[in-house]
Amino acid sequence: MTTEKDPKIDKLNNPLLHERKLTDDSLVTERGNTDQSVGDLRKRAERDTDEKVRREREEADDARAQSHVGQGAVDDRWNEQKKVDDDAVAIERLLMDKALRKERRQRETSLSESFSQKREETDEHLLRERQQTDSEADLHSKLLTNEQSLHSFTKAALTTRDEFLAIVSHDLRSPIATIIDFAGLLLDRSSSAQFDEESKTWLEVISRNAKTCLRLVKDILDIDRFAEGKLELNLVSCDLEDVIKEQVESLLHIAAERGILLRAIPSNISTVGKFDRDRIAQVLSNLLGNALKFTPIGGSVTLRAQQTEEEVEVSVSDTGPGISTEQQGRIFDRFAQITNKERTGLGLGLYISKMLIEAHQGRLWVVSALGSGSRFSFTLPKRGIATDESSYSTKNVNSG
């Protein structure tokens, strides 16, 4: 028992055969239409010829009958004349039939030549159409093969990326965290006689750089979570003022080492809201870290919080060299670097900060001019994120 193939499946599996079949069907239909047209012309020509002969014979018979009206049928002379006339008419009919046969043959020859010419033109046209169809089908086949190859390559690249992120998240975070912990233990014991000032300095460098490595690892993982919409915010009710004080205090020693005045101006507003405390601390750490990095010795970094009718606005201002208008348009992009002279990160800090603030339904922007310092500001809704859930997925941000 045989089963008929679905033409849609054939079209998907072998587009070249499908297109060729459509072309062959078109050729058969075209030839059928041509044969029908020629047959109709031939029948019409034969009908017109037969009708013309019939009319001419009737006219000849009427003329001959009229020429003998009033004459006696027994008259020999008239009978002889009648015989002569009949013979002449017979000869005339023979000549007419011969001429008509010749004319019919000529018409048939002309129609046959016209038909052959038209069929050749149709065949030539269909041949060109088939060649074009074959060429397009071949091109589509190559494009499909190339697309499948690229898809396989992309799939392999994504697999490699996932494996890389797995290595980053499991194989790097643990040893880095161990370095930080042991460096902290050694620093706690640095007051003993076995550690001199130079050794303590080295321990601080080890601890600081290990923390930088851990931050970079976390930045990479955050980028992947944002791309897949898997980053969730742990929304809790807390005081933004407390987070600001903690971040300023944690960076005071770095500011002092660089001769920079770091201060937070107290606010007389209520900064209690519902947000992810750790993520807002991450944003503040990124903004303050950038400000300290680009502010020269003797400069200052100021953190201030103020409110509008619907939002709380936090700003970090510095007395650094400022940012050009061109750079302001791309500093929030992934892997963007404000300067290449002192590359201390991947250029992800501002991008991640912007994504985190937008996940909180706020805004992050910069106001700056060359030689006049910079001010980075972000807002948070005064009443917190408009959701009743304790966790908020960034899928809502990405899909929006």
Side-chain angles (χ1 to χ4, degrees):
M1 179 176 181
T2 59
T3 57
E4 295 183 357
K5 293 184 178 179
D6 190 345
K8 294 182 179 179
I9 297 179
D10 288 341
K11 181 177 181 181
L12 292 174
N13 294 336
N14 199 327
L16 179 61
L17 290 179
H18 177 73
E19 294 295 335
R20 181 166 291 176
K21 183 177 181 303
L22 293 179
T23 304
D24 292 340
D25 292 343
S26 175
L27 174 61
V28 171
T29 302
E30 185 69 20
R31 286 183 173 176
N33 293 335
T34 304
D35 292 340
Q36 182 66 31
S37 299
V38 172
D40 292 342
L41 290 173
R42 182 176 295 170
K43 290 178 181 180
R44 188 162 56 249
E46 291 177 354
R47 221 172 23 247
D48 293 343
T49 302
D50 293 341
E51 182 65 22
K52 180 179 179 181
V53 171
R54 186 185 62 77
R55 287 198 305 271
E56 290 179 353
R57 286 181 175 177
E58 289 179 354
E59 291 175 359
D61 290 341
D62 291 342
R64 184 168 56 83
Q66 290 177 2
S67 66
H68 296 296
V69 174
Q71 299 183 14
V74 296
D75 192 336
D76 293 339
R77 189 163 61 90
W78 286 110
N79 288 336
E80 184 179 355
Q81 183 63 38
K82 181 179 179 182
K83 184 177 181 302
V84 173
D85 292 341
D86 290 341
D87 293 340
V89 169
I91 294 172
E92 184 178 354
R93 285 182 175 177
L94 289 174
L95 295 174
M96 185 177 294
D97 290 342
K98 184 177 180 180
L100 288 175
R101 285 195 297 272
K102 182 179 180 181
E103 182 180 355
R104 181 176 293 175
R105 284 195 301 270
Q106 290 176 346
R107 288 186 178 183
E108 290 179 351
T109 301
S110 177
L111 288 174
S112 178
E113 292 176 352
S114 176
F115 169 75
S116 297
Q117 182 179 1
K118 188 172 183 180
R119 173 169 286 182
E120 289 176 358
E121 292 176 354
T122 301
D123 290 345
E124 184 179 354
H125 173 72
L126 291 176
L127 178 60
R128 288 197 302 268
E129 184 178 347
R130 172 178 288 182
Q131 291 174 345
Q132 183 178 359
T133 302
D134 290 347
S135 177
E136 292 177 355
D138 183 59
L139 177 60
H140 292 164
S141 178
K142 291 180 179 178
L143 291 176
L144 178 60
T145 302
N146 187 40
E147 183 177 353
Q148 291 173 343
S149 176
L150 292 176
H151 176 72
S152 299
F153 177 78
T154 302
K155 186 176 180 181
L158 290 175
T159 302
T160 303
R161 187 202 67 173
D162 293 339
E163 293 174 351
F164 167 75
L165 291 175
I167 293 173
V168 168
S169 60
H170 296 94
D171 296 350
L172 288 182
R173 293 180 68 180
S174 296
I176 292 175
T178 301
I179 294 173
I180 294 173
D181 292 340
F182 278 94
L185 290 174
L186 292 174
L187 285 172
D188 291 339
R189 300 176 181 177
S190 61
S191 59
S192 62
Q194 55 182 304
F195 290 101
D196 55 18
E197 291 299 323
E198 185 178 9
S199 297
K200 288 192 292 185
T201 302
W202 291 347
L203 288 174
E204 291 173 353
V205 172
I206 291 173
S207 178
R208 185 164 56 250
N209 282 276
K211 290 178 181 179
T212 300
C213 290
L214 186 59
R215 178 178 60 81
L216 295 178
V217 170
K218 291 180 178 179
D219 286 349
I220 293 174
L221 294 176
D222 283 345
I223 289 296
D224 186 62
R225 294 190 186 102
F226 275 120
E228 297 184 2
K230 294 181 178 179
L231 183 68
E232 293 187 354
L233 301 178
N234 183 25
L235 304 178
V236 294
S237 180
C238 52
D239 192 341
L240 183 60
E241 190 76 23
D242 293 339
V243 182
I244 292 174
K245 290 179 180 179
E246 290 176 3
Q247 292 304 309
V248 171
E249 291 174 357
S250 67
L251 295 173
L252 281 175
H253 68 287
I254 296 178
E257 290 177 357
R258 299 183 180 181
I260 299 172
L261 173 62
L262 174 60
R263 59 180 177 172
I265 298 178
S267 62
N268 298 322
I269 63 174
S270 174
T271 56
V272 176
K274 193 174 184 180
F275 51 86
D276 189 321
R277 179 187 178 93
D278 292 337
R279 291 301 186 177
I280 296 302
Q282 181 181 353
V283 172
L284 288 170
S285 177
N286 285 334
L287 297 181
L288 288 172
N290 281 339
L292 292 174
K293 181 169 62 176
F294 293 104
T295 299
I297 297 176
S300 63
V301 175
T302 304
L303 198 152
R304 175 185 286 107
Q306 55 188 359
Q307 68 176 354
T308 62
E309 293 183 1
E310 301 293 336
E311 300 172 322
V312 174
E313 180 181 320
V314 180
S315 61
V316 176
S317 303
D318 62 61
T319 57
I323 306 171
S324 67
T325 303
E326 179 184 359
Q327 289 178 325
Q328 290 178 36
R330 62 182 182 84
I331 57 175
F332 293 107
D333 295 338
R334 281 189 297 179
F335 309 113
Q337 293 285 335
I338 296 179
T339 177
N340 292 325
K341 295 181 180 179
E342 187 182 352
R343 185 185 179 109
T344 59
L346 297 176
L348 296 175
L350 289 177
Y351 171 77
I352 292 175
S353 298
K354 186 173 185 293
M355 295 296 291
L356 289 174
I357 293 300
E358 290 179 353
H360 281 83
Q361 300 176 2
R363 297 173 293 117
L364 173 61
W365 70 96
V366 63
V367 176
S368 181
L370 289 177
S372 301
S374 303
R375 184 177 76 250
F376 285 84
S377 305
F378 67 86
T379 61
L380 293 174
K382 186 181 296 185
R383 298 181 181 179
I385 295 179
T387 177
D388 295 331
E389 300 179 0
S390 60
S391 63
Y392 181 79
S393 173
T394 53
K395 285 182 179 179
N396 301 323
V397 180
N398 295 339
S399 62

